[in-house]
């Protein structure tokens, strides 16, 4: 009998639900295998805990875990206060110009575009774009055959 089979049948072995032959074979393996013996011991402890929980008994007292949340939260607040102190204070001039700056940039871009259109800078732009598209489609169709195969 191998370890995997013993571990698979371990719950039935603990509960005494196996045939006498199977129980005997598992017992022989456990006596010869220290890993399976340790596995059996842990499985019995877990089964005992499970039965205690189902029967309504109080569980075994766990070690006291200290409550560190108050200390951690105070440290976080100190860090946050230090960050606020180091932050650059907002001035009246900065408040007044910062939101308008982006609109000024957009307005300037629109004005420059309008002036360039009036001067005819973009006059041949549509022809250039269609010429580029034609060259691109010719080069792409050169890669593929007439059926679209490579």
């Amino acid at each position: 009998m191998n370890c995997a089979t013993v571990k698979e049948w371990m719950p039935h072995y603990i509960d005494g639900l196996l045939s006498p032959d199977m129980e005997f074979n598992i017992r022989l393996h456990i006596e010869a295998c220290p890993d399976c013996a340790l596995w059996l011991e842990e499985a019995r402890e877990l089964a005992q805990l499970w039965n205690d929980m189902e029967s309504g008994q109080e569980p075994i007292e766990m070690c006291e875990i200290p409550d560190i949340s108050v200390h951690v939260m105070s440290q976080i607040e100190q860090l946050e206060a230090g960050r606020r102190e180091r932050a650059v204070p907002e001035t009246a001039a900065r408040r007044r110009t910062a939101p308008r700056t982006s609109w000024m940039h957009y307005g300037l871009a629109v004005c420059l575009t309008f002036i360039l259109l009036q001067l005819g800078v973009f006059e041949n732009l549509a022809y250039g774009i269609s010429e580029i598209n034609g060259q691109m489609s010719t080069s792409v169709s050169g890669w593929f055959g007439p059926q679209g195969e490579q």
Side-chain angles (χ1 to χ4, degrees):
M1 185 166 281
N2 63 16
C3 293
T5 306
V6 169
K7 289 176 182 177
E8 180 182 343
W9 290 99
M10 191 74 68
H12 302 294
Y13 176 78
I14 292 170
D15 293 337
L17 302 175
L18 297 176
S19 67
D21 289 340
M22 184 74 154
E23 188 174 326
F24 178 73
N25 290 334
I26 290 177
R27 190 173 341 114
L28 285 177
H29 179 84
I30 290 171
E31 289 172 358
C33 179
D35 289 336
C36 288
L38 181 62
W39 186 277
L40 175 64
E41 184 181 323
E42 290 175 359
R44 282 186 173 152
E45 289 175 6
L46 287 174
Q48 183 62 37
L49 283 173
W50 186 262
N51 291 335
D52 290 348
M53 286 176 39
E54 285 183 343
S55 66
Q57 293 179 357
E58 289 296 317
I60 299 173
E61 290 297 320
M62 298 292 178
C63 61
E64 271 302 308
I65 300 173
D67 184 19
I68 60 170
S69 60
V70 174
H71 178 68
V72 169
M73 292 306 292
S74 68
Q75 290 292 323
I76 291 172
E77 288 185 21
Q78 287 176 0
L79 289 171
E80 184 65 22
R83 187 193 61 79
R84 280 191 217 117
E85 289 173 3
R86 288 188 307 273
V88 176
E90 198 172 294
T91 62
R94 187 170 169 195
R95 256 191 323 250
R96 187 175 58 244
T97 59
R100 294 182 188 163
T101 305
S102 62
W103 289 108
M104 285 179 18
H105 289 131
Y106 292 130
L108 181 63
V110 167
C111 290
L112 285 174
T113 304
F114 181 71
I115 291 171
L116 291 173
L117 282 172
Q118 292 298 318
L119 294 174
V121 172
F122 298 122
E123 186 174 324
N124 295 323
L125 183 65
Y127 175 76
I129 290 175
S130 62
E131 186 69 25
I132 290 171
N133 283 340
Q135 290 173 358
M136 291 290 288
S137 63
T138 304
S139 64
V140 169
S141 60
W143 292 342
F144 297 99
Q147 308 321 63
E149 302 168 352
Q150 268 188 324

